[in-house]
Amino acid sequence: MTYFLSLSPVLQALIGTLFTWFVTALGAAMVFLFKKINRTVLDMMLGFAAGVMIAASFWSLLNPAIAMAESSGMTPWVPAVVGFLGGGIFLFAIDKILPHLHNGFDMSEAEGIKTSWQRSVLLVLAITLHNIPEGLAVGVAFGAVAANLPEATIGAAIALALGIGIQNFPEGAAVSIPLRREGFSRTKAFLYGQASGIVEPIAGVIGAFLVIKMQTLLPYALSFAAGAMIFVVVEELIPESQREKNTDLATLGAMAGFALMMLLDVALG
């Protein structure tokens, strides 16, 4: 742990997001044990992921962004609102451009630019799309520590990485197991599933590097990551978790995810 604390924030962000990617791979490895995933269980896991991301958006990103803006003499709500909306608009634009398909949907319901890409590729890209803000959030959180502001602590950044990592486990399974059901070998389904998380270390390093170089933009960057994550939750995770009418269980999953992320952030931050 002492060695980890001595590293630069960019390297800390890399390690943190490599951890979240590794947990995605662990989830994808469930394809070696199961050929299908129970829809009720999947809806609970999707709700859990949504709860973690909602809690992380406030406790780990928006709340410190507002505190940082206030301590820096800014109007506290401006960076929070501008960054939050910017993150949502950014994900909205990517959602309209990047071809992708959500699990359980027909090919005719694929989103983004029309393409002849295979269904398997579109399924992986759907998860990859919402892994971008997750990696960015972890990277920005570690990069914020370099600003030496009391609102940005290494404990809070580690808590965020842990929370994102935990909810990545079901996400990895939610990619690889459906691919197995579509006829992929277990190994190929696993490789596709873990590949959906590789974007997180990339986004994490970029996020940490940018906030270190432009510390005045830090409150905006934290809020940007929060907005991007909330867009994913509202546009994808919640609707998909409610699609098969398992509404109560999906909601309980979201409550559990929120509570766990809140606990991690308050206890470690």
Side-chain angles (χ1 to χ4, degrees):
M1 185 64 177
T2 302
Y3 175 73
F4 178 78
L5 295 176
S6 68
L7 297 174
S8 73
V10 173
L11 284 177
Q12 290 174 344
L14 176 61
I15 293 171
T17 47
L18 283 174
F19 164 75
T20 62
W21 172 44
F22 173 72
V23 181
T24 302
L26 284 180
M30 291 298 100
V31 75
F32 293 108
L33 302 176
F34 306 101
K35 190 172 182 177
K36 64 178 182 179
I37 185 168
N38 182 277
R39 182 68 210 196
T40 301
V41 174
L42 176 61
D43 289 343
M44 288 183 67
M45 293 193 302
L46 289 170
F48 179 85
V52 168
M53 292 176 71
I54 292 170
S57 295
F58 176 74
W59 295 100
S60 299
L61 300 170
L62 282 174
N63 194 41
I66 293 169
M68 287 176 194
E70 191 168 21
S71 64
S72 300
M74 303 180 188
T75 303
W77 59 266
V78 172
V81 172
V82 173
F84 183 82
L85 293 178
I89 292 170
F90 173 74
L91 255 290
F92 174 79
I94 292 182
D95 189 66
K96 295 303 179 186
I97 296 171
L98 182 69
H100 62 283
L101 177 68
H102 298 302
N103 184 32
F105 284 70
D106 187 79
M107 279 292 288
S108 62
E109 298 178 272
E111 300 179 36
I113 295 174
K114 298 302 179 183
T115 177
S116 60
W117 291 350
Q118 294 181 340
R119 176 183 176 87
S120 56
V121 174
L122 296 178
L123 286 169
V124 173
L125 286 177
I127 300 295
T128 303
L129 176 63
H130 82 239
N131 280 340
I132 294 173
E134 293 175 8
L136 181 65
V138 175
V140 169
F142 278 106
V145 178
N148 293 319
L149 295 171
E151 298 83 9
T153 66
I154 191 67
I158 291 173
L160 180 58
L162 286 173
I164 295 297
I166 291 169
Q167 64 95 33
N168 274 358
F169 185 85
E171 286 184 1
V175 177
S176 63
I177 293 176
L179 291 179
R180 171 63 175 162
R181 195 170 61 245
E182 292 190 15
F184 279 59
S185 69
R186 294 185 189 275
T187 300
K188 190 172 183 180
F190 164 74
L191 291 175
Y192 271 72
Q194 63 81 33
S196 66
I198 193 62
V199 70
E200 291 194 7
I202 298 171
V205 168
I206 292 173
F209 179 79
L210 289 178
V211 298
I212 290 171
K213 295 299 181 181
M214 299 178 286
Q215 289 191 8
T216 55
L217 296 179
L218 184 51
Y220 291 92
L222 288 166
S223 303
F224 181 94
M229 289 213 294
I230 291 297
F231 180 91
V232 169
V233 169
V234 178
E235 194 270 342
E236 178 185 340
L237 294 180
I238 290 178
E240 191 170 339
S241 71
Q242 306 279 330
R243 190 164 176 252
E244 298 297 322
K245 310 303 181 183
N246 294 313
T247 55
D248 289 342
L249 292 175
T251 301
L252 289 173
M255 296 287 290
F258 188 100
L260 177 62
M261 187 65 237
M262 180 171 58
L263 184 154
L264 287 172
D265 194 271
V266 175
L268 299 179

